[in-house]
Amino acid sequence: MKLIFIGPPGSGKGTQAKRLAAQHGVPHISTGDMLREAIAGGTELGRQAAPIMASGALVSDELMLGIIDERLAKPDAQRGFILDGFPRTLVQAEKLDTIVGDSKGNGSGNGAGGLRVLQLLVPDEAIVKRISLRRSCPTCGAIYHLESAPPAVDTVCDREGAALIARPDDNETAVRKRLEAFHRQTLPVATFYKAKQLLREVDGVGPVDEVFERIEKSLS
Ligand code: AP5
């Protein structure tokens, strides 16, 4: 499985990608998580990315391409992967073709191409509500929602017992900017894959389990 998740911020990419990756035994590669780890680790990449992410804008293609090139070269990604948050621009999509082979399976890269792309459809009005009630575990990355997917004990991770946090880019100003970046820079990526007949659209509204079923059905 070589799958790309495309969707606006808060559409459930991380929630669904983690589940699908566990089920199919392939790594879940989230560029947002990788950047947050770099920030937590105080690396040069994290130092450069932190203010850009906090504002809701996209990190430069140059930085992202370096990260993804390195990650996809690791042994665990050779059998497949689920990409969450990459590619987000046309430049990134074109580069991905050269890394994994042409999307139609003609290429070089690490093999057979065979990319599939799944776009989660969630209207903008639903996004702000989802994001304002999101909490995540800084230790294991588990994602909760205080209404629809709450932890057993408010603000404590079920798995790790760590105190849950709200992301710094989950304030209303940054969310609006993230939505704008999605519409302007990432929707053309969906069109790019649609033209190659690789894109499946899935309704992302409804209970998490139902959305997961729709995803599985669209992939089978
Ligand atoms: P990233 O971490 O990728 O954030 P995002 O795309 O904005 O997406 P989110 O993580 O906010 O949401 P999600 O779709 O994963 O939803 P989730 O499952 O958490 O990127 C952050 C930043 O990093 C970017 O803004 C950019 O600066 C930078 N960056 C990353 N990649 C980059 C790239 N390639 N190029 C340039 N810059 C890059 O769900 C959200 C909430 O809703 C949760 O609380 C969840 O519990 C809840 N929920 C999930 N499903 C449902 C449902 N069906 N019903 C109700 N609630 C639900």
Side-chain angles (χ1 to χ4, degrees), residues 9 124 174-186:
D124 286 4
V175 171
R176 299 229 173 265
K177 187 145 185 195
R178 284 158 62 198
L179 276 170
E180 191 215 303
F182 174 76
H183 287 286
R184 196 165 49 84
Q185 292 168 279
T186 308

Side-chain angles (χ1 to χ4, degrees), residues 29-156:
I29 300 178
S30 156
T31 43
D33 286 351
M34 290 162 82
L35 291 169
R36 283 183 285 279
E37 276 162 28
I39 293 171
T43 66
E44 175 57 23
L45 168 67
R47 201 189 56 72
Q48 290 186 44
I52 303 169
M53 289 173 77
S55 78
L58 293 187
V59 172
S60 73
D61 286 334
E62 196 190 347
L63 279 181
M64 296 315 302
L65 295 176
I67 300 175
I68 209 74
D69 213 359
E70 205 175 291
R71 181 63 187 87
L72 291 178
K74 293 197 172 164
D76 68 340
Q78 303 316 302
R79 278 191 318 118
F81 47 77
I82 296 181
L83 280 176
D84 161 10
F86 187 97
R88 259 178 151 99
T89 64
L90 283 174
V91 172
Q92 293 178 14
E94 279 157 9
K95 172 69 178 181
L96 187 63
D97 271 0
T98 69
I99 299 175
V100 301
D102 176 86
S103 309
K104 286 186 176 149
N106 304 319
S108 51
N110 78 353
L115 278 177
R116 289 199 280 176
V117 185
L118 204 140
Q119 183 180 3
L120 278 177
L121 304 174
V122 178
D124 286 4
E125 313 84 76
I127 297 293
V128 179
K129 184 168 181 219
R130 278 196 189 182
I131 284 187
S132 63
L133 293 178
R134 170 172 47 195
R135 298 291 180 273
S136 46
C137 175
T139 311
C140 72
I143 303 166
Y144 299 90
H145 187 274
L146 295 182
E147 259 177 30
S148 63
V153 177
D154 235 10
T155 74
V156 178

